[in-house]
């Protein structure tokens, strides 16, 4: 696996940043979470004048072998159909990227369909979907390494354009299944507490999903008695999920602000943190979705999300919806006047 040099964010400027925030013409602490966000962004960028220039959104697509076991209400062809739809501007992710000025990159990392001639899709396909982890690892070590590299390289493309803030979304039918298993393994949480409706399973469907994933997890524990840190990632993950981890790690290494979306991207963030704990310093957890277990996974990570809008669309849409708050925090510290310049007596 590609190695990353990720250090905890330096606190050298913390005192100066706090003094700047406290001297804005407002009561101390009056802008609440916005002040916390401003502090984090300043520390990430090691600057008193942070920037959210050239925001980029990676939309990563891949299919999952476990879908063959009926763990999702949606069939796998929805993955490629939606990927095509995104190129036509018809998805939720398109609307929010346009609204908030994000450059959208639509990337085929492992969709089970030939999208190579579709204009607007970046072809980084590793294989046409992963293997079925009910019976065998989802991917080989070489495929895992390739997926990490794909995500890292995509971030380098964004950085070359001056990107300072990165958002990541996914499109992959059945990807709540590996996310649930990762949550169970990383948090030592009973699997039943990690499984939800995904794209809309009813109660019998959720029970079936639990039975399938429970068997897969038992098989994994029998066949991988001494796992390495990457073993559960390559055994259960999708290509789009591993690429997202690679993107997160490279973004942290390069001091980008990373916006973490819903259940699946939070699971990927948890995986990235397992590999490189300091990567968490660069992440802003943007919302708590309605997928069962998402709040518990956020609690597991000690993450306080910005929004709770009942979202469970994926694609990075929740992270994009949170961007105006982060933008407001940066505008606050850059544009708001201070007491001296405004000739206002400090009133705290």
């Amino acid at each position: 696996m590609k190695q990353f040099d990720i250090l905890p964010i330096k606190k050298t400027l913390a005192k100066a940043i706090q003094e700047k925030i406290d001297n804005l013409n407002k009561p101390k602490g009056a802008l609440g979470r916005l002040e916390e966000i401003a502090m984090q962004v300043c520390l990430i960028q090691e600057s008193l004048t942070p920037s959210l220039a050239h925001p980029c959104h990676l939309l990563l697509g891949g299919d999952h072998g476990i879908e063959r076991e009926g763990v999702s209400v949606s069939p796998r062809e929805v993955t490629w159909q939606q990927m095509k739809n995104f190129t036509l501007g018809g998805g939720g992710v398109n609307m929010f990227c346009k609204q908030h000025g994000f450059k959208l990159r639509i990337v085929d990392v492992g969709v089970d369909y030939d999208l190579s001639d579709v204009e607007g899709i970046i072809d980084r396909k590793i294989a046409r979907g992963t293997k079925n982890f009910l019976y065998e690892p989802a991917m080989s070590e070489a495929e895992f390494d390739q997926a990490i590299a794909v995500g890292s390289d995509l971030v380098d493309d964004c950085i070359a354009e001056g990107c300072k803030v990165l958002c990541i979304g996914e499109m992959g039918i059945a990807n709540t299944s590996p996310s649930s298993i990762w949550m169970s393994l990383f948090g030592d949480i009973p699997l039943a507490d990690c499984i939800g409706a995904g794209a809309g399973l009813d109660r019998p469907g959720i029970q079936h999903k639990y039975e399938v994933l429970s068997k897969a997890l038992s098989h994994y524990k029998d066949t991988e008695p001494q796992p390495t840190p990457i073993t559960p990632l390559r055994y259960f993950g999708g290509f789009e999920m591993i690429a997202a981890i690679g993107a997160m790690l490279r973004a942290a290494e390069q001091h980008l602000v990373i916006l973490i979306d819903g259940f699946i991207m939070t699971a990927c963030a948890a995986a990235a943190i397992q590999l490189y704990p300091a990567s968490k310093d660069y992440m802003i957890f943007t919302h708590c979705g309605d997928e069962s277990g998402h709040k518990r996974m956020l609690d597991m990570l000690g993450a306080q999300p910005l929004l709770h809008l009942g979202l469970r669309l994926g694609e990075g849409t929740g992270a994009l919806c949170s961007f105006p708050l982060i933008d407001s925090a940066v505008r606050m510290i850059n544009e708001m006047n201070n007491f001296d310049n405004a000739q206002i007596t400090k009133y705290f």
Side-chain angles (χ1 to χ4, degrees):
M1 172 184 161
K2 175 182 172 68
Q3 298 300 299
F4 299 88
D5 183 18
I6 302 173
L7 300 175
I9 54 176
K10 295 178 182 178
K11 301 296 179 68
T12 311
L13 288 177
K15 183 178 179 180
I17 296 164
Q18 192 62 57
E19 287 178 352
K20 183 176 181 181
I21 292 172
D22 289 345
N23 280 292
L24 300 175
N25 53 357
K26 60 173 181 58
K28 188 175 181 179
L31 286 174
R33 289 293 304 278
L34 296 184
E35 298 186 20
E36 296 174 14
I37 295 167
M39 171 65 77
Q40 183 180 0
V41 175
C42 286
L43 290 174
I44 289 170
Q45 298 184 358
E46 298 179 5
S47 172
L48 289 167
T49 54
S51 167
L52 298 176
H54 300 283
C56 287
H57 185 86
L58 301 178
L59 194 288
L60 309 172
D63 278 304
H64 295 251
I66 196 66
E67 178 271 340
R68 301 297 191 194
E69 303 301 321
V71 294
S72 174
V73 70
S74 303
R76 69 171 44 208
E77 58 261 30
V78 171
T79 303
W80 69 259
Q81 291 167 355
Q82 276 285 47
M83 292 289 282
K84 281 191 171 184
N85 181 45
F86 297 145
T87 68
L88 302 174
V93 66
N94 301 96
M95 172 185 64
F96 291 127
C97 279
K98 183 177 180 181
Q99 179 184 5
H100 301 306
F102 277 72
K103 179 170 182 178
L104 174 62
R105 284 178 164 86
I106 305 165
V107 189
D108 174 8
V109 190
V111 178
D112 187 13
Y113 192 84
D114 184 6
L115 296 169
S116 59
D117 62 348
V118 178
E119 185 177 354
I121 294 180
I122 300 170
D123 185 4
R124 296 291 185 271
K125 192 191 297 288
I126 296 167
R128 291 182 58 151
T130 57
K131 298 181 179 66
N132 187 343
F133 64 65
L134 180 60
Y135 306 108
E136 58 184 322
M139 65 188 74
S140 67
E141 288 189 24
E143 289 172 330
F144 174 88
D145 291 347
Q146 186 178 351
I148 290 285
V150 165
S152 178
D153 291 347
L154 289 167
V155 171
D156 284 343
D157 293 340
C158 296
I159 292 171
E161 297 175 353
C163 174
K164 297 291 187 181
V165 56
L166 181 75
C167 187
I168 309 170
E170 38 61 42
M171 182 64 230
I173 297 304
N175 55 17
T176 60
S177 290
S179 300
S180 297
I181 290 180
W182 284 355
M183 175 184 170
S184 177
L185 290 172
F186 299 154
D188 194 24
I189 299 169
L191 182 61
D193 295 341
C194 305
I195 293 174
L201 288 171
D202 57 15
R203 185 169 296 178
I206 294 173
Q207 178 61 30
H208 172 71
K209 182 178 179 179
Y210 168 74
E211 291 170 358
V212 170
L213 298 189
S214 182
K215 289 178 183 177
L217 191 54
S218 295
H219 186 253
Y220 163 76
K221 290 178 178 177
D222 289 341
T223 57
E224 302 284 350
Q226 295 181 314
T228 68
I230 73 166
T231 305
L233 307 187
R234 71 173 184 84
Y235 197 100
F236 297 108
F239 292 127
E240 84 284 16
M241 297 172 71
I242 304 303
I245 294 168
M248 291 176 189
L249 295 176
R250 180 58 173 163
E253 185 178 47
Q254 293 298 304
H255 290 239
L256 270 61
V257 176
I258 309 166
L259 307 186
I260 304 299
D261 188 50
F263 184 64
I264 293 137
M265 286 298 105
T266 302
C268 292
I273 293 165
Q274 287 280 316
L275 296 174
Y276 290 89
S279 63
K280 183 184 173 186
D281 289 354
Y282 302 86
M283 300 174 179
I284 297 176
F285 292 84
T286 59
H287 78 104
C288 180
D290 264 9
E291 176 66 15
S292 176
H294 190 195
K295 182 182 184 303
R296 188 161 182 179
M297 182 155 50
L298 289 166
D299 291 343
M300 176 185 88
L301 295 173
Q304 186 180 359
L306 296 177
L307 302 173
H308 189 169
L309 300 177
L311 305 178
R312 55 184 180 87
L313 177 60
E315 304 173 14
T317 48
L320 291 164
C321 282
S322 78
F323 182 72
L325 295 175
I326 299 157
D327 186 37
S328 292
V330 169
R331 288 177 182 272
M332 174 200 75
I333 198 166
N334 285 335
E335 301 176 17
M336 195 170 175
N337 209 346
N338 60 38
F339 285 103
D340 289 340
N341 289 336
Q343 297 182 343
I344 296 174
T345 301
K346 267 192 178 182
Y347 48 94
F348 61 86

